[in-house]
Amino acid sequence: RVFRLNEDRAVINRYGFNNDGMEIVKNRLLKERHRKGVLGINIGPNKNSLNPINDYKIVAKKLAKYSDYIAINVSSPNTPNLRKLQGKSLLSDVIESTKEGINEAEEKKPIFLKISPDLVTSELEGVIEISILKKLDAIIVSNTTIERPKLLNNSKNQLGGLSGYPLFEKSTKIFTIFILRLFHLFVVK
């Protein structure tokens, strides 16, 4: 489920959200209470969830107490239909659901949003708008890409998310759009 593309300085993975479940993760985090450093928890729905938006609330409520921040992942290419949650109305619901979970846990945690590098400009504008409206604390630019640049040498036909050097230009472009948009909104005004 992981393919190293050494010549391309890249990796393709199809890990998804593998984990042992919230209770086991919570117990591991309890053992690490006195750790040093910053710990973020990357949350997302189960691939077979009947209510993916509610999954964010459930996980945030269960694990917020044990993290320094919560990262909302709506961009894994390895979870079917997850990237659809980056649309404006669904993204707004996901963020609210996560906030409800954190509030129900009686915690105050920064919320980060992990986005796809495959967003087109109009989709990215929607993500920026919702992120500002919902007062998110940070954006993680970016997850892996499903695109396959023509320059890749081997294993390029493997399914999964591509990361590494071939993603540099694409993720830098997304990051630049965010910075310019925020600069325009908060500095130029």
Side-chain angles (χ1 to χ4, degrees), residues 66-183:
Y66 310 103
S67 69
D68 296 307
Y69 68 89
I70 298 288
I72 298 173
N73 188 334
V74 288
S75 56
S76 170
N78 299 308
T79 304
N81 299 313
L82 183 68
R83 288 182 167 198
K84 290 179 180 179
L85 298 177
Q86 293 175 113
K88 280 173 69 173
S89 64
L90 291 176
L91 181 58
S92 181
D93 292 344
V94 166
I95 294 167
E96 282 306 310
S97 184
T98 303
K99 285 182 174 184
E100 285 174 26
I102 294 169
N103 288 337
E104 287 180 17
E106 298 179 350
E107 293 289 328
K108 292 192 183 303
K109 299 292 175 172
I111 300 175
F112 296 9
L113 178 66
K114 189 173 187 180
I115 63 169
S116 165
D118 300 323
L119 294 169
V120 297
T121 303
S122 61
E123 293 170 320
L124 186 56
E125 286 293 329
V127 168
I128 292 169
E129 182 183 325
I130 294 299
S131 299
I132 292 168
L133 182 70
K134 297 296 181 180
K135 299 180 179 175
L136 293 182
D137 297 288
I139 304 295
I140 299 171
V141 178
S142 70
N143 210 322
T144 57
T145 182
I146 57 172
E147 289 186 3
R148 297 293 185 263
K150 291 183 174 128
L151 302 175
L152 291 180
N153 289 306
N154 53 30
S155 298
K156 63 184 171 190
N157 295 324
Q158 290 294 337
L159 296 176
L162 173 70
S163 60
Y165 185 73
L167 186 55
F168 177 78
E169 188 175 318
K170 188 173 199 156
S171 61
T172 301
K173 181 180 176 184
I174 298 277
F175 179 74
T176 303
I177 291 169
F178 255 98
I179 295 299
L180 291 174
R181 182 82 163 96
L182 293 174
F183 180 79

